[in-house]
């Protein structure tokens, strides 16, 4: 780190996650210089109009590489398949790398090829790369040179499912059903007919029902946590909102557990896993306000709200139990651009540079 | 039927489904007179401002009953628990009844009590009442005195699942996973903090995760279709749109079927079940446009769109297959107030009065 | 007209207004055949997914012209500048033409050039073309061969302003201020970055503040009505909704009128202009529910609602009076694709073919 | 100020602006303790679910007053009419007061009575109270005991209009036309039928067209700036978004100025007024990207976007010129809860306590 703070590169600075990284880095007290890259000719502030007045300017990827000696850390916000051929040039100069694409999320190049249809060009880095969910493997992130930032659906689902799947109560034989609705910033920023406003307004856009590319990533991470092979039925769609991920998962419980469980048992399990308030995980919070107790009452606020985390790095969780069917329910919400991408990337950066983990991420949702 | 057309009562005319019934009846060529009831003092057109200029006026429920002799058919749009104590007075005068509440949806008063927490006061009518999904039991609806109009989630899910569940390919042992997002007109019209606009905007409001009251109704209908007991894991939420239901269901296939199936096999199954175009079910349509074939391509328009059916009586279906996990996917969308309530009620009315089934329901979604 | 009904061509069938015309024509009882044109290769039902199952297919513009003898009427939904070079070939064969573009809206080719930057190629047709607002000039529309369908902002503003501007109470010297918010279907359907969903969600997109091309059209029509030259300050934007136009206009009153006016005087003026209920203009309705009378009370429903006319051909009007400043307020709302385009085009067609004016347009907003 | 930071009271902590103050104060590095008040029994974090995990708890207004000695500053987020009877008790103990209600916005109790229908109970404080727009009167705010925080419409419109109205180019004789669309958090948080989600979705809700209570406030402030009496025709509505104000104003120019002006002249005027980038007003920024220059081109991004300031304290401005009509156009956008309320209140607090003016307000819009 420079005396005055971190110098940060953002490779792929024109898209939604690159812009969000810059937004958060601009308010980060330990960051000195931000260098986003672009190959286009639109000025930075016109490309990201929410950052009007910030003073940032694009450089080309080549210019960034030429000044590699001045950098402390580089984030990759490039389409899958691009980072793998470049990161080593940064690592070789002692620059730490946080990759928001999928290039380093799998330990195995075969899984990568199967999920993304590409041959991996830097397989020797796959074992070195650390999968960056601070809440799960903070220590490994701390010393990593190369962090693979998780997919937005994956981090949301994993934070929601980890305590239950590792509790010994869940039946893991049948496919795990996960339904997720993502904001439209989760789609590419390239203009496309079906993501034009009139097509999304008041609608829901399911996609990749034949198997979303985040499903094997989710199976991989949950499989490592539970030390067994899992099947995840991940169903994805975009909703009529710009930011946010809503994940709902249904987990059948083992017969042995069914009659010992109720909502409060699940609630306790999650409180123990993530801690309560200031003693626990700062960004993972359980929304477990008590129900009114009336049959069929629609107590909406006993579950998490996507809108409540908008713009913030928080993940709100909710748990419930369908007693008559023996199915535990988990709801997890994040902002797909923050906890789902740029925020957790900065959280990883904070961890890697021994900064307070919540530095630059203190704002609540708006 | 009167020489000049049908005289129609709408008990409970102030809520969303009562208003929608009036909207559709006003454009129905075979309807002569519409009598909505209200106990409040707000004029009809101020209560339903989209019907400005229509000339309808509220009567009290007592006034409607007093004129029972002039009526051909009465719709109940009352909260669950109200219709059961009144419908017989209409039936006794030869007026046919279509109940949009849950009062007559179960054959068994015990199931009703379990789902709705109420003792049924007219159990003798439960066996007579016909469950009104015209696509499934048109003949029974034709001669019914009393039709139980299905729940909005249920009709959407049933139209989506029936062909697959009765195909012999589906594994019905594990719970059937159904995720559904409903518009906010699916919530009560009574002002409530959590349904105020700022709480819904850009958000998703899950509710009743402990078991939605439509789940036993869905299990009942699907159980009758498949002639076995099924468990349905129904997950419900309201989205940031006023009208529409989005249902996504995941159906694991039997091992014996897994390798024989692909998207086109499922597509053919649905074409056979509902027919194609004018020879088939008019209101149930398969959206099965071909994919681009590229890995990870987000071909949004190969699946149904909630917005495409807005204001119409159509149900659009989509099917896909996750080959690597052996799970068939179904997407079904309707307008919760039309096919999910008032539209299917009018479709039932048309059937009961030997009118063309699509009369008054010809408009496409907008 | 053919014995069996009208044969209708829709030149430019891929955009929003072409699709909406087809949607409404499909439910029109007097229409036999609909022939939309496209130069692309996407099938009709994939292009307009709300019309799934309708059976329409695109023809090329050349195919349509080749079959000109079978047609009764042709609608042009083409970009400004295209219809003017083609309509005569239809007119010459006795086919009546309704042009939804701006090509025939001005009597004077110089005004057309100034507003649209194009030289008019059929100036001899400009005097023959009838400006098609049925409520204002029904008789001329009846006998027209060529109807110029008004711009969406213009018809909404004109219906809202006509009674007041011709009442003798309005001061017409200063610029007339009109602020209008249009749905995003009012933008082109060509994919564009700034109309992608994340850019519109929760936002408002002003455009053409240097002078919208509809301003001279509005000045032209209002000038003809008031028989004097007017200046209109038209301010336009797109809002976060797909359909609908919200127009708010402020009209300073003459000193002589200021103290004689209140809300009810204005309300009476509009009731007289458009008539009440069934005796008046069917599609133009005054929303004038009484206020609560409390200071600063937000009586939202005393004004029109854009959502209330969605999908319908209605125009809802509201009037109020700022007594302390002597300014009359007008609010006018329509669905930009219906009354603002396809619906009024069909209303014109009905008038031209001696059909009931509301045929095919009976549905209320949803 | 306490050694450890400011102790802050928030009277009226249950509504939208009270919640937003707490949200921003929680991330403010110079704030030690936050004490929001409520008379209800809902816990703080359930009332403001975006602040889950923050640890704040409600106290009663009486408890807050009892501990007046510990406080540095108190914000009032109470309905108009409540602060005026209480603030003196805080002032007497040396606590500085920032009132977000309208109680101290007028110098004259008669204007207050006319606008709000209430007799002022502390008229002696009206002359002492400083109207708190830091960009206009920073020095007076610095030493104020009592700051009247401006109305959300007013601060947005004033920042947008001040440079032009004081330039000598504007014609100030005719009413100044201002159209404004506010988010629904600008409505009361009390449940109300017309602000329920289905009524707002895809709609616009105009209100108080007879004269919004912010109009006299705006006339007062602009009158003071221009040193003459002005009439403002303020038109207000809520749009289908939770946060944000969109203000569009039309200012006819003096004949003498009309031919000397173009967009770049106006742009320069605003650059001079607010400065560019880091040398100027941090929170007031001009969005003046160049147009493509094509006739009728919809260059949306040359104007400010409401979404771009969401959650931030920024005000984005745009200017344009309708040359043919001699009318200058101003567009100003803010987040109604931040720059329009809680953010500018904190900006005032920073100024009053000699803190960096942007402390706690560094985040860009999301």
């Amino acid at each position: 780190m420079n005396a005055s703070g971190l110098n940060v590169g953002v490779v792929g600075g024109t898209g939604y996650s690159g812009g969000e990284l810059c937004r958060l880095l601009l308010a980060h007290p330990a960051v000195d210089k931000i260098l986003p890259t672009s190959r286009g000719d639109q000025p930075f502030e016109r490309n990201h109009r929410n950052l009007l007045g910030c003073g940032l300017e694009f450089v080309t990827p080549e210019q960034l590489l030429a000044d590699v000696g001045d950098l402390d850390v580089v984030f990759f916000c490039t389409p899958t398949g691009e980072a793998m051929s470049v990161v080593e040039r940064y690592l070789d100069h002692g620059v730490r790398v946080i990759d928001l694409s999928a290039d380093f999320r799998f330990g195995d190049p075969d899984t990568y090829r199967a999920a993304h249809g590409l041959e991996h060009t830097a397989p020797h880095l796959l074992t070195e790369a650390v999968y960056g969910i601070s809440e799960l493997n903070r220590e490994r992130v701390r010393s990593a040179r190369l962090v693979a930032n998780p997919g937005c659906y994956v981090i949301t689902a994993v934070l929601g499912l980890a305590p239950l799947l590792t509790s010994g109560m869940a039946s893991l034989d049948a496919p795990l059903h996960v339904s997720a609705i993502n904001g439209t910033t989760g789609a590419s920023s390239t203009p496309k007919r079906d993501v034009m406003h009139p097509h999304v307004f008041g609608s829901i856009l399911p996609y990749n029902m034949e198997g979303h590319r985040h499903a094997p990533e989710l199976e991989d991470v949950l499989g490592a946590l539970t030390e067994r092979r899992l099947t995840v039925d991940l169903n994805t769609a975009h909703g009529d909102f710009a930011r946010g991920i809503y994940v709902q998962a249904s987990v059948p419980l083992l017969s042995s557990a069914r009659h010992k469980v109720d909502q409060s048992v699940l609630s306790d399990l999650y409180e123990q896993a993530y801690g309560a308030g200031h003693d626990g995980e700062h960004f993972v919070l359980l929304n477990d306000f008590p129900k009114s107790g009336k049959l069929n009452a629609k107590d909406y606020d006993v579950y998490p709200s996507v809108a409540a985390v908008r713009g913030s790095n928080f993940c709100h969780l909710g748990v419930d139990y369908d007693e008559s069917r023996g199915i535990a329910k988990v709801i997890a919400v994040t902002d797909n651009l923050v906890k789902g991408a740029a925020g957790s990337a900065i959280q990883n950066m904070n961890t890697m540079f021994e900064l307070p983990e919540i530095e630059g991420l203190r704002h609540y949702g708006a």
Side-chain angles (χ1 to χ4, degrees), chain A residues 16-229:
Chain A
Y16 297 124
S17 61
E20 186 68 1
L21 254 175
C22 293
R23 183 180 83 86
L24 296 170
L25 291 168
L26 281 162
H28 193 298
V31 169
D32 186 39
K33 209 156 126 186
I34 306 164
L35 293 163
T37 77
S38 164
R39 295 200 178 283
D41 52 10
Q42 196 176 45
F44 183 87
E45 296 183 19
R46 188 164 191 171
N47 191 96
H48 299 297
R49 290 198 292 142
N50 59 324
L51 304 182
L52 195 67
C54 75
L56 294 189
E57 291 181 11
F58 283 126
V59 297
T60 64
E62 291 73 24
Q63 287 171 320
L64 188 71
L65 251 180
D67 291 335
V68 62
D70 294 338
L71 294 173
D72 298 291
V73 59
V74 167
F75 295 91
F76 278 82
C77 301
T78 40
T80 293
E82 297 194 9
M84 60 185 177
S85 61
V86 188
V87 297
E88 201 150 22
R89 302 174 66 175
Y90 287 99
L91 295 175
D92 286 348
H93 285 80
V95 179
R96 294 167 96 174
V97 172
I98 300 170
D99 179 20
L100 282 78
S101 85
D103 279 7
F104 297 97
R105 291 183 190 157
F106 295 107
D108 179 357
D110 293 340
T111 320
Y112 179 80
R113 188 192 311 109
H116 295 282
L118 297 167
E119 199 64 36
H120 207 288
T121 61
H124 57 290
L125 291 174
L126 289 178
T127 45
E128 178 184 348
V130 172
Y131 192 77
I133 299 185
S134 286
E135 285 81 1
L136 298 185
N137 56 349
R138 188 169 277 123
E139 289 315 310
R140 292 197 58 217
V141 169
R142 201 181 306 278
S143 54
R145 287 201 310 163
L146 171 57
V147 165
N149 221 57
C152 56
Y153 288 115
V154 180
I155 190 171
T156 311
V158 166
L159 291 174
L161 285 167
L164 183 56
L165 297 193
T166 57
S167 70
M169 298 194 292
S171 165
L172 303 176
D173 293 327
L176 199 61
H177 291 288
V178 177
S179 284
I181 315 280
N182 197 349
T184 49
T185 54
S188 161
S189 60
T190 306
K192 189 167 182 173
R193 184 173 180 276
D194 289 316
V195 193
M196 291 277 285
H197 182 267
H199 294 261
V200 184
F201 175 74
S203 201
I204 289 181
L205 274 69
Y207 66 100
N208 290 147
M209 301 303 289
E210 76 281 2
H212 190 280
R213 65 198 179 283
H214 281 186
E217 184 184 336
L218 187 49
E219 290 168 337
D220 215 42
V221 180
L222 295 178
L225 279 174
T226 56
E227 296 176 346
R228 50 165 294 176
R229 213 174 127 55

Side-chain angles (χ1 to χ4, degrees), chain A residues 314-342:
Chain A
F314 290 96
C315 173
H316 288 188
L317 302 178
V319 287
D320 209 339
Y321 186 53
D322 181 340
E323 191 184 339
S324 67
R325 296 176 186 82
I327 302 173
K329 308 295 184 79
V330 178
I331 290 167
V333 299
T334 60
D335 184 318
N336 62 308
L337 291 181
V338 190
K339 190 64 175 171

